[in-house]
Amino acid sequence: MIICSEEVVVSPPFVFLPLVKSLLRPDFHVAAQNCWVKKGGAFTGEVSAEMLVDLGIPWVILGHSERRLLLGESNEFVGDKVAYALSKNLKVIACVGETLEQRESGSTMEVVAAQTKAISERISDWTNVVVAYEPVWAIGTGKVASPAQAQEVHSVLREWFHTSVSPEVAASIRIIYGGSVNGANCKELATQPDVDGFLVGGASLKPEFVDIIKSATVKNSA
Ligand SMILES: O=C[C@H](O)COP(=O)(O)O
């Protein structure tokens, strides 16, 4: 589930999208967890952007680390997916983030910049993109990035947008954090100036998800 600037987006597996969409309150939206890289066709087992549009699904998550690492999706492939999904008028949550090995070798920013650059080389309008910074070592591990660690990467990413895309995009792009966010750590993470919301996994299935929503939306409406 994703929360940013007063928007709440729920992202169940494909097969549950219509049901969840039908049950959600109208101001909450749904996102698919992936979609195919180009126009639908003979790609057995894939779900195309066109299919999501037909179902009335407004958002899609692309480049989640599990897809990058387990399914071998390269930066370029993710960039192509983002460009195609946007061309079909889907809104995109584009995930970036480093592995523990990359963090320990000091290449966090290089990795995150390369992932973002591959998208930037393929799109010209960031209006419908939210960037989710998700350090791989923090996803589902209980090892949340400290507020300072999250802020550091978000701030450098925003600076990257300022230099490499435009000051306007840097000011308006929403950069959300994901990785072991829960009811206990959300408030401090949400106070970081460059943290615009959260991508929540495990805790979105628990009652504390309400506290997480409040922490992000109160900050953003303040
Ligand atoms: O897909 C979910 C996100 O990657 C974060 O998961 P998590 O909150 O369980 O660490």
Side-chain angles (χ1 to χ4, degrees):
M1 311 225 187
I2 302 100
I3 313 152
C4 51
S5 303
E6 298 181 42
E7 274 191 277
V8 178
V9 180
V10 180
S11 185
F14 283 126
V15 292
F16 301 120
L17 278 167
L19 176 65
V20 171
K21 182 174 158 57
S22 72
L23 294 175
L24 276 179
R25 47 189 264 188
D27 54 331
F28 284 16
H29 298 288
V30 282
Q33 296 181 1
N34 180 40
C35 70
W36 181 232
V37 67
K38 55 186 174 183
K39 186 172 166 55
F43 303 106
T44 302
E46 290 295 333
V47 172
S48 66
E50 288 85 351
M51 292 178 196
L52 298 179
V53 172
D54 282 350
L55 276 179
I57 308 300
W59 286 89
V60 62
I61 297 175
L62 294 172
H64 191 280
S65 65
E66 286 149 16
R67 299 203 62 87
R68 290 179 186 268
L69 296 172
L70 302 177
L71 297 162
E73 294 193 2
S74 67
N75 293 350
E76 294 70 28
F77 190 70
V78 172
D80 286 342
K81 282 186 165 194
V82 172
Y84 192 75
L86 290 175
S87 79
K88 296 293 126 186
N89 295 321
L90 289 170
K91 296 181 192 179
V92 172
I93 297 115
C95 301
V96 299
E98 81 288 2
T99 63
L100 183 59
E101 191 181 27
Q102 289 164 335
R103 172 160 283 265
E104 287 178 345
S105 69
S107 56
T108 295
M109 286 322 307
E110 193 182 315
V111 168
V112 168
Q115 292 168 334
T116 313
K117 181 167 178 274
I119 298 170
S120 163
E121 287 169 344
R122 290 163 173 80
I123 70 170
S124 54
D125 184 353
W126 286 83
T127 309
N128 287 328
V129 181
V130 168
V131 175
Y133 168 59
E134 294 206 295
V136 179
W137 48 271
I139 296 175
T141 59
K143 291 182 193 164
V144 65
S146 69
Q149 284 174 319
Q151 169 57 23
E152 181 186 26
V153 178
H154 284 226
S155 145
V156 177
L157 249 180
R158 204 176 294 285
E159 188 54 39
W160 183 90
F161 275 106
H162 191 279
T163 311
S164 307
V165 182
S166 74
E168 292 73 27
V169 170
S172 60
I173 188 100
R174 293 178 290 181
I175 306 174
I176 63 175
Y177 169 80
S180 296
V181 176
N182 61 34
N185 58 37
C186 61
K187 277 193 188 140
E188 202 180 345
L189 282 164
T191 61
Q192 302 306 306
D194 289 298
V195 174
D196 299 318
F198 299 122
L199 199 166
V200 188
S204 69
L205 304 174
K206 301 176 185 170
E208 65 194 279
F209 187 54
V210 174
D211 298 324
I212 302 173
I213 291 176
K214 285 181 183 162
S215 74
T217 53
V218 165
K219 173 203 174 182
N220 283 302
S221 60

